[in-house]
Amino acid sequence: MIPRCVYVNGRYVHYGAARVHVEDRGFQFGDAVYEVCAIRAGRLLDLDAHLARLDRSLAALRIAPPLGPQPLRHVLREVVQRNLVRDGLLYLQVSRGVAEREHAFPDPAVSPTLVIFARPMNMEHLDARAATGISVHTSPDIRWARRDIKTTGLLGNVLGKQSAREAGASEVWFVDGQGYVTEGGSTNAWIVDRRGVLRTRELSQDILPGITRETLLSVIHDSSLEFAEVPFTVREAQEAQEAFNTSALSFVTPVTTIDGVRLKGPQPGLVAMGLRQSYLNRVDSV
Ligand code: PMP
């Protein structure tokens, strides 16, 4: 599963030899943004949307894009090909760069650090997880107030995911001060409520605008499913007909248990499994 080579600041280097500086601002401050894209049959899924979100994250933090759009696409394809990845993931990170430690931006600006790698993923394992469904553990959302920016400052997510693991669950769902689910530790959260309405939280600074969420919305738009961007409580989710998560790597994954409460009715739910298939048929691949 170890990548053969990693792209670091203009060079393709052996994985074991890939390095960034100790004073990289990504390392010291989490002053960095990232993207994760799925690779299927050697193709990058929803790449345009991921690159558009990368641009928005960079602009929000006023980090200059390290490469123009075409050179970047070329490097992404090279990384996939050089690592011979057919099914897997691509990870890209841009930090503000290397500078003597001081919180405010370096002045004059320094070149951003760009790191890209790709590695294979076991698709059968992911499909099997979807077929049985996963359990979720809830936790207060202690993250910062700009979760719409995809930064590497993921300590809240790290602690949340660990609490889920220790509770025997495979994903955390964060809960806001009013008792509503924001999103998962690395996924967007959805339910099919008791009335049969498909629900997920509306976009705001509280959640990451998931690319899978966006693609799935276009699938839903073309379907006869009743849908509302309305948040839900943990209790509503436990009483829902179905629940599921979306992310670039897990696509649509049914949730069958929330804080130890198993959802009633046949699980994994038909809506979630149907949407998983429709998503895979719809997703763009280049
Ligand atoms: N929320 C969070 C906190 C995430 O880390 C992710 C994964 N990037 C998502 C939602 C899902 O986003 P996407 O569909 O773009 O993978």
Side-chain angles (χ1 to χ4, degrees), residues 143 147 172-174 181-185 187-189 206-208:
R143 299 173 300 157
R147 303 157 195 156
V172 62
W173 274 5
F174 292 118
V181 173
T182 50
E183 61 182 332
T187 54
N188 288 110
D206 294 343
I207 64 167
L208 187 79

Side-chain angles (χ1 to χ4, degrees), residues 34-36 50 53 143 150 154 157 174 183-188 208-213 246-249:
Y34 73 108
E35 278 297 326
V36 179
H50 283 280
R53 184 173 63 187
R143 299 173 300 157
K150 198 166 170 60
L154 290 171
N157 308 59
F174 292 118
E183 61 182 332
S186 60
T187 54
N188 288 110
L208 187 79
I211 302 304
T212 318
R213 178 189 186 282
T246 56
S247 74
L249 297 184

